Amino acid sequence: MFRLDLIRGKLIKLALTMFVAILFTAGSGGYIIYQTSISETAQRLTETAKSNARMIEEVAYFDKAHSKEMHSGASSFDATLSQVKAAHEQIRFGQSGEFTLAKKQGKQIVFLMRNYLAGMDIPNPVSLDRTDRAEPMRRALSGKSGWMIGNDYRGVHVMAAYEPVDILNLGIVAKLDMQEIRAPFIKAGMVIIAFAILISLFALRIFYQTSRQISDKFEDSNRQFSRLASNAKDVIYRMSIPDGRYEYINPASSELFGITPQAFYNTPKKIQELIHPNWHAYFDEQWQKLLNGDMPPTYEFQIVTPSGETKWIVQRNVLVTDDSGRPVAIEGIASDITERKQAEQALAKSEERFSLAMQGANDGLWDWDMQTNVITYSVRWKSMLGYAENELENKFATWERLVHPDDIKRAKQVIDDYLTGKVPKFELEHRMLHKDGHWVDILARGFAIRNESNGTYVRFVGTHVDITKRKQTEQALHQSEEHFRELFTGNKSVELIIDPDDGRIIEANRAAEKFYGYSQEQLLNLSISDINTLSKEQIGREMARAKLEKSDHFIFRHRLADGDIRDVEVYSGPIHWNQKQVLYSIVHDISDRKRVEVAKDKAEKHAKGVIENARDGFVAIDREGIVIDWNPEAERMFGFSSEEVIGQLLSDTIIPLAQRKAHIEGMKHYLATGEGRLIDKHIEITALHKNGILIPVELTIIPLALGDTVTFNAFIRNLTEINKAKDKILQNISTIRKGLKGTIDVVSKIVEARDPYTAGHQHRVSQLSRAIAQKMGLDDETVEGIRIGATIHDIGKVQIPSEILSKPGKLSQLEYKLIQSHPGAGYHILKDIEFPWPIAEIAYQHHERIDGSGYPQRLKGDEICLAARIVCVADVVEAMSNHRPYRASLGIDVALEAIQVHRGTMFDEAVVDACLLLFSEKKFSF
């Protein structure tokens, strides 16, 4: 009944909720429609007031157009008013709608017209001071326009639109009573409320009928439950909390607890009287948790029945709470598990004994309950795979997950074959995954236990043995044998197996057949004495030494099938072969090595002779910096004999004190990185003579690595005499250059002497060219070559008549052609002179342009040498900024603007930029 009343209460709440929801939804919709209606009505009234105000103004304007005075006499105004009344007489809207027209007269509002309102004449005047009457008209007469909800001249609540008629100083109002506007919405609201009540009553009827159906089904369910509970062997109960009163308990309580249901009804918490003394604290703890809403789904405990019998009980509970989540009752089932517990205890003792036995054998134990599919794995079973006891679940799926994917199908087949009787015993080798990721080889053995009553298997018990080491040993042995056989047969080295007792060859590989020139069959019919050039006695003694392992390395001479004798190196030692001790021999042909050793010895003697007789000093040091070689020229160069320096640190002999630290650090850096600043390079440094004098030397260091041994080999040349000769040569070059410079200056002056109008032109061009080259960052030698080339760039003009060079007027075409020939003439004059700079090319190309528009070769871009590109810009700037026979100076600004305009087309961009910077920074002037 409690649950039925609860359901009915919830259905009634649901009906009321629906009623409120309908009212709220309808009210919200009605309010939105009402607000929309208010806005639309206000808009219509406003439009009506405005249109009527405009119409009155148009009538007034019409009268004025016909020379009527609008305010000069009553008859004129009345005529206009009559026309307005006539126009509005038939206008009507709503039951309460009307137009009113009024004017301000003193402190009163005087109404002049209204178009319609049943049972009333023109309204009486209203005082302007009254705020409860005619508010819309008051606003219209004050010149305002709009709409409002307020009182009209009657004091009735209306919606009114007001508008001034400025030309007549009147006001017009269009209004509608609010009662008329609200009436349809009030009626609609009443209808909605009635509809909501009808819907709610209908829902209540449906909910009532539903609750009756639920009640009937609930009663039927109660009857079924009562039948089931009355016949159940387990105790079924419901207990209210916190009082512990039993609301229901079935008759099975008499069998399980030895107490009738009535006794439980009469005594709350009756179960506490039955709790075994050992379980009182546990029961009190669980009861307290229950009161706090924390209850385990099951718990086990012991009781003592009134007859003194001790039983094990398991309770499965469900906590019942009210709407607020507060616990109000528990419903549960109590079962007798005494027999199961006794069986578990007996099994536990049995398993403990078995486990102790298995621990002694260091095997893992597994026990598969085939009815529940739960497998119990022993601690050793889990630790064998690297897991702690609580890290693996006791499930068949655990075993499936850990078995190697390649073994799982076969493993399940072996289990199935055993359980179906196809094989008499269960034994399985398979791999399982260790926790750290490697595979463990397992040997599983076991036996299944049948249910005697129906013959089905109920348990499957067995052991796991870790056979990984055994498997590894077997595999390693097999692989070793196979590997040895493969190595022996396929090895490229010659291999023989010899019986040490008689020297007979009992096995030979393919390399032996190829080396000796015998077939396999022929070799196995030979003795070692047939191929070794030693006597049998000597061979016997050597084999005895090898057998006793007194020696395993020998140098012999072996005879081949074709009679050729080869030097061989043999490594031989005893092994077991087919249960007999034999000699396993590896034979290396060292004939080529012997020849190489002889050649190497000759080469070393030759190299030693070359070094001993070399005109350069040779010094070799090891990785510690200790001298290991010192040739005679080094003795003469530094004054130290080889006996004095070999075995000493090089840094203590010929390296000056200021350079010793760099020498040591450089060696360490090379040994650590393989890189060195001075390695494999010719460098000039100073070395220390025995008498303390510093000697200039040329040094070349070549490192040589042989295995872990590193030596530094230095070739040293005394530069004392070479430097003296070099200084002499430099002096001669300086003298020659001075003479050359003077000669070039003379030639330049000769050229300019033939053209007096351009006197100093080449000199100024050379100055600007040098400045541009320096600005571009060119080296001093290149700058000097450009300066010299610019100084004589017009040397070809010596072949042009001076009359043409100094002609003040315009040149003829032939004369201009002669002028254009001077670059080529200059080139032919200079081309055979060996300058260290492109002097002839400067003269030949200084009139070429980047875009190919120059002469005489029409070169483009990089086809023009850099020096000529620089002289070209300097030549143009100088020529434009100075006087010429045929024109006055154009000025430096015009010249710079010209090269700027043609930058990148006629003139090199970098050269132009450098020239412009010189003048803008005021670092150059002619």
Side-chain angles (χ1 to χ4, degrees):
M1 288 303 294
F2 170 77
R3 292 182 178 178
L4 186 58
D5 292 341
L6 182 64
I7 292 170
R8 286 176 177 170
K10 289 185 176 180
L11 290 175
I12 291 170
K13 287 182 181 179
L14 180 59
L16 291 174
T17 302
M18 287 178 60
F19 176 71
V20 173
I22 292 170
L23 287 180
F24 177 77
T25 303
S28 299
Y31 178 76
I32 293 170
I33 295 170
Y34 171 72
Q35 289 297 329
T36 304
S37 177
I38 288 292
S39 298
E40 291 177 351
T41 303
Q43 185 176 357
R44 289 199 304 272
L45 288 172
T46 301
E47 291 173 353
T48 301
K50 285 181 180 291
S51 64
N52 278 277
R54 303 294 82 78
M55 183 187 71
I56 292 169
E57 288 178 346
E58 288 174 5
V59 170
Y61 278 121
F62 180 80
D63 290 345
K64 183 178 180 181
H66 289 77
S67 303
K68 293 182 180 180
E69 298 292 336
M70 285 188 289
H71 294 289
S72 61
S75 59
S76 176
F77 180 77
D78 290 341
T80 301
L81 187 59
S82 295
Q83 292 182 53
V84 173
K85 285 181 178 181
H88 289 78
E89 187 64 35
Q90 301 304 318
I91 296 177
R92 179 176 176 178
F93 53 95
Q95 296 297 323
S96 60
E98 72 168 0
F99 294 107
T100 54
L101 186 67
K103 67 178 180 177
K104 188 189 301 182
Q105 187 172 326
K107 290 189 176 183
Q108 287 188 325
I109 300 173
V110 177
F111 290 93
L112 304 176
M113 184 198 81
R114 64 178 177 81
N115 74 319
Y116 173 77
L117 191 61
M120 289 189 67
D121 295 324
I122 294 176
N124 295 323
V126 177
S127 173
L128 284 170
D129 295 332
R130 291 194 64 171
T131 59
D132 62 336
R133 296 289 178 95
E135 178 61 26
M137 186 60 75
R138 184 179 292 106
R139 293 188 181 187
L141 292 174
S142 64
K144 296 180 180 177
S145 175
W147 71 274
M148 64 172 290
I149 296 175
N151 294 338
D152 66 355
Y153 58 85
R154 300 170 297 165
V156 176
H157 209 50
V158 298
M159 175 185 287
Y162 47 89
E163 189 75 19
V165 183
D166 294 330
I167 193 168
L168 299 176
N169 293 325
L170 302 179
I172 188 169
V173 173
K175 62 186 180 65
L176 193 66
D177 288 357
M178 287 301 296
Q179 183 178 356
E180 181 179 347
I181 295 173
R182 292 176 181 143
F185 295 99
I186 293 172
K187 290 179 181 179
M190 297 299 293
V191 172
I192 289 169
I193 291 171
F195 178 74
I197 292 171
L198 288 173
I199 291 294
S200 300
L201 290 174
F202 182 71
L204 279 173
R205 176 177 175 80
I206 292 173
F207 293 156
Y208 178 77
Q209 290 174 347
T210 303
S211 68
R212 289 301 304 168
Q213 293 173 358
I214 293 172
S215 175
D216 293 342
K217 290 182 179 179
F218 187 73
E219 291 297 335
D220 184 55
S221 176
N222 274 344
R223 286 193 294 272
Q224 293 180 21
F225 173 76
S226 296
R227 285 197 302 272
L228 291 172
S230 297
N231 296 312
K233 293 183 178 181
D234 293 333
V235 174
I236 302 171
Y237 62 92
R238 176 186 170 96
M239 177 194 291
S240 64
I241 52 177
D243 56 10
R245 183 175 58 83
Y246 283 89
E247 297 178 357
Y248 176 81
I249 189 165
N250 68 339
S253 64
S254 300
E255 179 68 25
L256 181 58
F257 297 120
I259 297 175
T260 64
Q262 191 61 45
F264 278 100
Y265 293 142
N266 295 337
T267 307
K269 302 181 183 178
K270 183 66 176 177
I271 190 67
Q272 287 183 324
E273 299 175 6
L274 304 177
I275 298 299
H276 192 284
N278 294 343
W279 291 88
H280 280 162
Y282 174 78
F283 190 85
D284 292 341
E285 179 185 354
Q286 297 304 316
W287 181 258
Q288 192 59 45
K289 288 183 177 180
L290 179 62
L291 295 179
N292 295 330
D294 179 16
M295 181 186 69
T298 62
Y299 52 88
E300 297 177 357
F301 57 92
Q302 285 180 295
I303 64 168
V304 180
T305 66
S307 64
E309 183 182 2
T310 299
K311 293 184 177 180
W312 274 95
I313 304 296
V314 60
Q315 284 192 188
R316 303 171 183 85
N317 301 315
V318 175
L319 185 64
V320 181
T321 61
D322 59 14
D323 291 342
S324 64
R326 181 176 61 85
V328 295
I330 57 170
E331 297 173 349
I333 299 174
S335 305
D336 185 354
I337 58 170
T338 305
E339 291 183 1
R340 193 193 81 187
K341 283 290 186 179
Q342 290 171 347
E344 287 177 356
Q345 290 172 357
L347 180 61
K349 289 181 181 179
S350 174
E351 288 179 346
E352 182 180 2
R353 291 193 296 271
F354 184 73
S355 178
L356 290 172
M358 294 310 298
Q359 288 177 15
N362 200 31
D363 294 343
L365 174 66
W366 49 270
D367 185 353
W368 182 5
D369 187 335
M370 303 183 73
Q371 293 180 316
T372 63
N373 207 33
V374 173
I375 300 183
T376 302
Y377 303 110
S378 69
V379 175
R380 175 56 187 152
W381 190 97
K382 296 176 181 179
S383 66
M384 196 178 293
L385 300 175
Y387 291 94
E389 185 175 4
N390 60 347
E391 288 185 305
L392 290 177
E393 293 185 280
N394 291 328
K395 294 181 179 179
F396 185 75
T398 299
W399 176 81
E400 289 181 302
R401 176 171 60 83
L402 296 175
V403 174
H404 195 288
D406 295 342
D407 297 345
I408 186 68
K409 184 177 180 180
R410 177 177 56 83
K412 287 184 176 181
Q413 186 62 50
V414 172
I415 294 172
D416 186 66
D417 289 347
Y418 171 69
L419 295 177
T420 55
K422 293 181 181 178
V423 293
K425 64 178 182 177
F426 173 69
E427 189 169 297
L428 168 67
E429 290 187 8
H430 60 293
R431 292 164 291 176
M432 297 189 72
L433 185 63
H434 194 275
K435 184 179 180 180
D436 65 10
H438 74 271
W439 296 100
V440 180
D441 287 290
I442 297 293
L443 171 62
R445 295 190 181 97
F447 62 92
I449 302 172
R450 292 180 183 271
N451 186 330
E452 297 298 335
S453 62
N454 56 22
T456 60
Y457 287 111
V458 293
R459 290 182 68 186
F460 196 2
V461 182
T463 61
H464 270 192
V465 180
D466 185 350
I467 59 171
T468 304
K469 290 185 178 178
R470 191 193 81 187
K471 281 283 187 181
Q472 289 172 346
T473 301
E474 291 174 355
Q475 186 177 10
L477 180 61
H478 176 73
Q479 288 177 345
S480 177
E481 291 175 351
E482 289 295 321
H483 187 59
F484 177 78
R485 172 64 63 182
E486 290 175 3
L487 286 176
F488 183 82
T489 303
N491 202 327
K492 301 300 182 182
S493 298
V494 176
E495 295 181 346
L496 301 172
I497 295 178
I498 302 167
D499 187 338
D501 296 332
D502 56 12
R504 183 170 51 87
I505 298 173
I506 58 178
E507 193 65 72
N509 68 351
R510 288 192 292 269
E513 298 176 36
K514 183 177 180 180
F515 176 66
Y516 290 110
Y518 293 105
S519 67
Q520 175 82 2
E521 183 180 358
Q522 289 173 323
L523 279 172
L524 299 186
N525 287 322
L526 295 177
S527 171
I528 191 63
S529 60
D530 294 327
I531 59 176
N532 196 317
T533 58
L534 294 178
S535 65
K536 290 186 177 181
E537 291 76 13
Q538 289 175 310
I539 293 172
R541 287 196 295 270
E542 297 300 329
M543 285 195 298
R545 290 178 62 207
K547 184 178 179 180
L548 297 173
E549 299 186 63
K550 292 184 177 180
S551 178
D552 61 358
H553 180 249
F554 306 91
I555 300 297
F556 296 130
R557 306 194 76 203
H558 280 188
R559 183 183 298 105
L560 308 186
D562 61 4
D564 188 19
I565 304 297
R566 307 299 292 266
D567 291 296
V568 295
E569 182 178 49
V570 179
Y571 292 90
S572 186
I575 63 168
H576 287 279
W577 180 275
N578 294 333
Q579 300 179 348
K580 178 179 176 63
Q581 190 179 51
V582 297
L583 291 178
Y584 170 58
S585 301
I586 300 175
V587 181
H588 294 293
D589 182 2
I590 60 170
S591 301
D592 293 338
R593 192 179 82 189
K594 281 284 188 180
R595 287 192 292 271
V596 170
E597 287 175 354
V598 171
K600 181 181 177 182
D601 182 62
K602 291 181 180 179
E604 287 178 350
K605 290 180 180 178
H606 176 73
K608 187 69 174 176
V610 170
I611 290 173
E612 291 296 322
N613 295 285
R615 299 182 64 182
D616 289 338
F618 177 79
V619 177
I621 60 175
D622 63 13
R623 63 187 302 136
E624 305 299 329
I626 296 174
V627 178
I628 58 176
D629 203 351
W630 187 273
N631 76 341
E633 181 59 29
E635 292 182 346
R636 288 189 292 272
M637 191 182 300
F638 298 110
F640 292 100
S641 67
S642 59
E643 291 79 7
E644 290 179 287
V645 293
I646 290 178
Q648 303 296 319
L649 287 170
L650 182 66
S651 58
D652 293 340
T653 55
I654 65 173
I655 297 178
L657 184 62
Q659 299 173 13
R660 290 178 185 176
K661 182 178 180 181
H663 162 73
I664 295 170
E665 293 298 327
M667 285 184 60
K668 288 180 179 179
H669 180 73
Y670 177 81
L671 293 172
T673 66
E675 298 177 355
R677 185 172 58 86
L678 306 181
I679 300 300
D680 293 330
K681 295 178 182 177
H682 296 291
I683 58 170
E684 294 185 8
I685 60 172
T686 55
L688 190 64
H689 193 273
K690 183 178 180 179
N691 61 14
I693 298 174
L694 292 176
I695 306 171
V697 296
E698 181 184 73
L699 172 67
T700 303
I701 301 174
I702 301 174
L704 181 62
L706 296 174
D708 294 334
T709 302
V710 178
T711 61
F712 297 92
N713 305 282
F715 295 89
I716 306 170
R717 177 170 295 178
N718 192 334
L719 297 179
T720 303
E721 296 301 324
I722 294 174
N723 285 348
K724 290 179 181 178
K726 189 184 295 184
D727 291 342
K728 185 67 175 175
I729 291 170
L730 290 175
Q731 289 177 1
N732 293 337
I733 290 173
S734 177
T735 302
I736 292 169
R737 280 199 171 184
K738 288 178 181 179
L740 177 63
K741 182 175 180 292
T743 302
I744 288 172
D745 288 342
V746 169
V747 171
S748 175
K749 290 176 181 178
I750 292 171
V751 173
E752 291 181 344
R754 300 187 70 250
D755 186 5
Y757 286 97
T758 58
H761 166 69
Q762 292 187 115
H763 176 67
R764 289 190 297 273
V765 170
S766 70
Q767 285 181 315
L768 181 54
S769 297
R770 179 174 61 183
I772 292 172
Q774 290 172 336
K775 190 67 176 177
M776 293 175 69
L778 302 182
D779 61 86
D780 293 343
E781 185 68 15
T782 302
V783 171
E784 178 63 14
I786 292 171
R787 186 196 68 80
I788 291 173
T791 302
I792 57 173
H793 73 278
D794 279 339
I795 192 172
K797 288 184 179 180
V798 298
Q799 296 185 3
I800 299 173
S802 58
E803 292 82 3
I804 295 176
L805 293 175
S806 58
K807 182 178 180 179
K810 183 178 180 180
L811 297 176
S812 67
Q813 188 174 4
L814 179 60
E815 290 171 337
Y816 186 66
K817 288 287 185 183
L818 284 172
I819 291 291
Q820 286 186 321
S821 69
H822 81 273
Y827 173 74
H828 288 292
I829 293 170
L830 299 171
K831 68 177 182 179
D832 295 326
I833 303 174
E834 293 185 5
F835 290 103
W837 312 286
I839 302 300
E841 281 72 16
I842 292 173
Y844 201 14
Q845 299 176 6
H846 75 276
H847 276 290
E848 300 288 350
R849 299 294 182 260
I850 297 296
D851 59 1
S853 62
Y855 64 86
Q857 303 177 79
R858 294 194 175 277
L859 301 179
K860 292 183 179 181
D862 291 338
E863 294 175 345
I864 308 168
C865 69
L866 178 60
R869 281 179 268 162
I870 292 172
V871 174
C872 168
V873 171
D875 187 35
V876 169
V877 171
E878 195 284 332
M880 293 182 70
S881 61
N882 286 281
H883 292 285
R884 284 292 181 267
Y886 50 86
R887 63 159 172 80
S889 170
L890 299 177
I892 190 65
D893 293 336
V894 175
L896 296 178
E897 183 181 359
I899 65 171
Q900 173 69 36
V901 169
H902 296 291
R903 174 182 177 271
T905 55
M906 297 176 67
F907 307 117
D908 185 281
E909 293 180 353
V911 176
V912 170
D913 291 342
C915 182
L916 293 174
L917 276 174
L918 286 173
F919 284 96
S920 65
E921 294 173 354
K922 301 188 183 305
K923 293 184 178 179
F924 183 85
S925 63
F926 290 115

